[in-house]
Amino acid sequence: MNTSNKSYTGIDCFRMIAALFIIAIHTSPLGTYSEWGDFILTRVIARVAVPFFFMTSGFFLISRYSCNADRLCAFARKTALIYGAAVLLYLPINMYNGYFKMENLLPNIIQDIVFDGTLYHLWYLPASLAGGVIAWILVRKLGFRRAFVVAVILYLMGLFGDSYYGLGKQVPVLGGFYTLWFQVSDYTRNGIFFAPVFLVLGGWIADCQTHLRQVTAWSMCIVMLLSMLAEGMVLHYFQLQRHDSMYLSLVPCVYFLFQALLHFRGKRHAWLRDVSLLVYIIHPMMIVAIRLAAKVLHLQTLLVKNSLVHFVAVVVTSVSFSVAAAAFWQRFGRRKKEWNQGADRAYIEINLDNLTHNVQVLRGAMPAKCELMAVVKAQAYGHGMYEIATHLDRIGVRAFAAATIDEGIALRRFGVRGEILVLGCTLPERASELHRYGLSQTLSDYDYACRLNAQGVPVKAHIKLDTGMHRLGFWVPVEKDADKNADKEMQKLSRVFHMKYLNINGIYTHLCAADSPDEEDVLFTRQQIARFYKVVNRLKKQGIHIPKTHIQSSYGFLNYPELKCSYVRAGIALYGVLSTPDAQTRLHLDLRPVLALKAHIVLVRNIKEGESVGYGRMFTADRDSRIAIVSIGYADGIPRILSGQGQQVLLGGQPAPVVGRICMDQLAVDVTGIEHVYVGMTVTLIGRDGDQEITAPAVAAQADTITNELLSCRGTRVVVTCCSYC
Ligand SMILES: *Cc1c(COP(=O)(O)O)cnc(C)c1O
């Protein structure tokens, strides 16, 4: 799936229109011609611009896919930097205007920096910073619904201090509040009252998979615009306004506008983001410049007095300057940091396109009505649970399996929806957390089910049957066991279905030899499957409604694809690899590896024949050699047992052997005879480089283990980065 041509073109382009609206607000293009026209354009229509910017920030910042504190910090830092630069940029104009001559200078400066902006338009930057933080915290703590309610209340408080002030000041307590507030700041349209509702809504829209139909969105947007016009006119007529940034209809109006714009998908125009922001920041400068130029050239009548020409002149100069500045920055500015922090040492690269591909291939091979349950335990087998799970959620996977309740909670905090099954045992005392996060708990035996039920908290659960693995699960003897306990066990099992607080929505088992093609193992596996269905059928006979069933993990599916279950619990196959390099499976699927493991060369040195490298002098050069030290070791998941086995890595598309004992944080590679080896060079330990590839199963086999262990033992220092379109 290529999503690069599915960017939000509509939103990118409207940023530009919104920037022009802002210029209109500050230049009143229709002022010379019609008072009403000017009112409608600048006091009503153009008022959607700033909320639109807030909503866009929310859309990209607050959504479930980015509910990540790093993103918020990056946003805050960037906004603060831009704000700082803009404040400095406008210092000369402030000085010219006599800003520093005012009374109570210090309190005023603080007030301006925190709320009002040091020049009239700059309030937007601190507002976006404060609003971003407030909205983010609200959503994180309360969820979207309640965060929205709080944000609406804040907005209403702002509204009655803004365009409804005539009413607001008459309400007893509120009036007092405003008197106080206006000592602190000149307005209520700021990051506390104004911005959060749009930011929260933006995130909420990003969160919903279903969007309004385009016709609906446009019609509602127009209706709301008309309603805003009526609102504006009435407020204006009764002179209730203290300021005119906030209307009741503004919130739904921008909401529908945003929904409508979402339908325009196509090429990405990220540069419009920079240009529109620049236009926003510098247009007051251009207004001053044009007035100055008009004075010098004696063109005031044309350039300043005629509002439309004045507007056009400001637009042309602001846009040209911004485009030029953005182009200059693109060309000569600091390159965007390519990797996350820490990726300069050792990192894994996740290919989300391959993950999507694997999901499609697995789903394609599954019987109708069978769903994929993505197993994302142990940091998604070392791939990074956040990156993997949010991507799967985004592409429509609606069932997940985690090993522990804490992994399940983490998934919910990332915003993952749908079924989340906890495969392991959870302390019954944590039942309320299972309930709160909507997790399904595996019931591993009758005693456990009783203890969980006894907590008196409703919990969703899947019953696990032991069909021969003898790990977790109810053991229910079937005919051949000729066990006199058979009926008793069966009764216990059916009793679980009737336990008051357990809501059984699944029943499953796990196969323990499904990877083996040996005749005996196949026979054993078939017995496991038969045993599962025997128990299920008995339950059915007792009139119990059978919930969702699932049996197969990756190998179970690849070797027994004919089973018709509700879920396939795919782990290792989802990540595009199998446990061993020589795995034989009945189903052959085109699965692609999702993970690559890389590090960097930190030092290159020459050693003489006879000199040794590393602990224990395990490697001694039998010729003059060139050794590269690579920043990855066994604490990063490279098994120490690979030392001295001639394990290869790739650099510049060529293989080179690891030499000497692998250390905790470093290893050495013999690069003798390889050209262009340099400090900072990327070294691939798993993955592809040029036409060479080192596969995870091959490395695992060399280390005497399986891919599952190798990958899930990735050290915590190894940073996850995403390649492909993200
Ligand atoms: C880990 C696990 C899986 C996934 O196994 P793979 O072989 O990686 O697909 C499925 N079911 C259970 C119960 C598991 O513990």
Side-chain angles (χ1 to χ4, degrees), residues 236-377:
H236 192 65
Y237 179 80
F238 288 106
Q239 298 193 337
L240 294 175
Q241 291 167 303
R242 182 172 184 278
H243 190 65
D244 46 26
S245 286
M246 304 172 76
Y247 295 104
L248 277 175
S249 325
L250 183 60
V251 179
C253 181
V254 178
Y255 172 80
F256 290 117
L257 171 70
F258 202 90
Q259 286 272 9
L261 290 171
L262 281 182
H263 286 278
F264 297 91
R265 304 286 291 268
K267 237 176 95 95
R268 177 134 198 249
H269 296 294
W271 57 281
L272 280 179
R273 225 164 117 174
D274 299 338
V275 173
S276 57
L277 182 65
L278 275 168
V279 168
Y280 186 96
I281 291 175
I282 58 134
H283 74 273
M285 190 72 94
M286 294 302 155
I287 295 178
V288 174
I290 281 171
R291 281 171 186 270
L292 215 68
K295 203 168 176 180
V296 173
L297 302 172
H298 299 292
L299 287 174
Q300 272 137 321
T301 340
L302 178 69
L303 276 181
V304 180
K305 296 264 157 58
N306 183 310
S307 62
L308 196 58
V309 177
H310 180 59
F311 168 74
V312 172
V314 175
V315 167
V316 170
T317 45
S318 302
V319 172
S320 324
F321 180 88
S322 302
V323 169
F328 182 84
W329 182 254
Q330 279 257 316
R331 180 78 183 73
F332 300 105
R334 199 155 52 99
R335 288 255 165 265
K336 217 178 137 198
K337 208 170 56 171
E338 214 170 322
W339 305 114
N340 303 352
Q341 245 174 6
D344 48 345
R345 200 181 150 268
Y347 59 98
I348 61 176
E349 239 175 48
I350 300 299
N351 187 325
L352 294 177
D353 288 341
N354 283 1
L355 182 64
T356 306
H357 170 85
N358 296 339
V359 168
Q360 285 166 345
V361 165
L362 286 168
R363 278 178 171 166
M366 278 160 30
K369 289 195 192 145
C370 179
E371 280 182 74
L372 175 71
M373 179 181 276
V375 181
V376 292
K377 60 190 179 189

Side-chain angles (χ1 to χ4, degrees), residues 435-700:
H435 172 75
R436 182 166 356 124
Y437 291 97
L439 307 175
S440 291
Q441 174 56 45
T442 292
L443 302 177
S444 47
D445 70 351
Y446 182 70
D447 284 347
Y448 180 78
C450 292
R451 285 196 293 149
L452 190 60
N453 183 55
Q455 300 297 317
V457 180
V459 168
K460 294 197 285 182
H462 287 216
I463 292 177
K464 186 166 193 183
L465 298 180
D466 174 11
T467 51
M469 183 171 185
H470 296 332
R471 191 174 60 179
L472 302 181
F474 288 68
W475 176 256
V476 179
V478 292
E479 285 92 23
K480 261 202 268 164
D481 301 311
D483 192 320
K484 50 181 181 311
N485 283 331
D487 283 344
K488 225 164 90 193
E489 294 301 321
M490 196 64 215
Q491 273 167 15
K492 279 188 187 171
L493 183 60
S494 53
R495 226 175 289 151
V496 176
F497 280 89
H498 298 114
M499 285 183 176
K500 183 167 175 205
Y501 292 104
L502 300 184
N503 174 11
I504 310 297
N505 52 16
I507 183 163
Y508 76 103
T509 191
H510 194 47
L511 306 174
C512 56
D515 56 334
S516 163
D518 291 353
E519 208 177 311
E520 250 177 64
D521 289 329
V522 172
L523 209 67
F524 182 85
T525 304
R526 295 214 175 281
Q527 274 175 12
Q528 278 197 284
I529 296 167
R531 176 179 283 273
F532 177 78
Y533 281 114
K534 261 181 201 157
V535 175
V536 166
N537 283 332
R538 281 201 199 168
L539 289 169
K540 219 184 271 178
K541 269 194 211 124
Q542 297 185 7
I544 288 172
H545 168 75
I546 302 301
K548 303 222 163 163
T549 55
H550 43 116
I551 300 175
Q552 306 133 293
S553 57
S554 295
Y555 278 97
F557 177 59
L558 295 173
N559 284 327
Y560 304 87
E562 63 282 351
L563 296 181
K564 289 192 167 44
C565 298
S566 319
Y567 292 121
V568 166
R569 299 186 306 272
I572 197 75
L574 186 63
Y575 305 108
V577 281
L578 291 177
S579 301
T580 54
D582 49 1
Q584 297 291 324
T585 56
R586 280 179 49 211
L587 207 57
H588 294 279
L589 299 178
D590 165 34
L591 298 170
R592 301 177 186 168
V594 173
L595 173 142
L597 176 61
K598 302 185 177 181
H600 292 288
I601 293 181
V602 292
L603 190 151
V604 184
R605 65 175 355 123
N606 296 316
I607 59 166
K608 293 244 162 6
E609 182 185 337
E611 290 184 323
S612 66
V613 175
Y615 286 122
R617 306 174 58 216
M618 188 182 192
F619 169 78
T620 306
D622 55 8
R623 55 176 177 177
D624 289 355
S625 305
R626 219 165 142 65
I627 302 292
I629 306 300
V630 181
S631 55
I632 192 166
Y634 59 76
D636 304 301
I638 303 295
R640 186 168 171 276
I641 197 175
L642 289 175
S643 309
Q645 289 204 34
Q647 174 65 38
Q648 302 206 304
V649 300
L650 301 175
L651 27 88
Q654 296 192 61
V658 173
V659 293
R661 207 166 271 162
I662 294 170
C663 311
M664 189 183 279
D665 320 312
Q666 276 118 15
L667 53 80
V669 175
D670 185 351
V671 294
T672 316
I674 300 182
E675 282 177 33
H676 307 303
V677 174
Y678 53 89
V679 169
M681 189 175 192
T682 301
V683 177
T684 302
L685 294 106
I686 296 174
R688 185 172 276 287
D689 183 3
D691 53 9
Q692 300 273 333
E693 186 175 15
I694 294 175
T695 69
V699 177

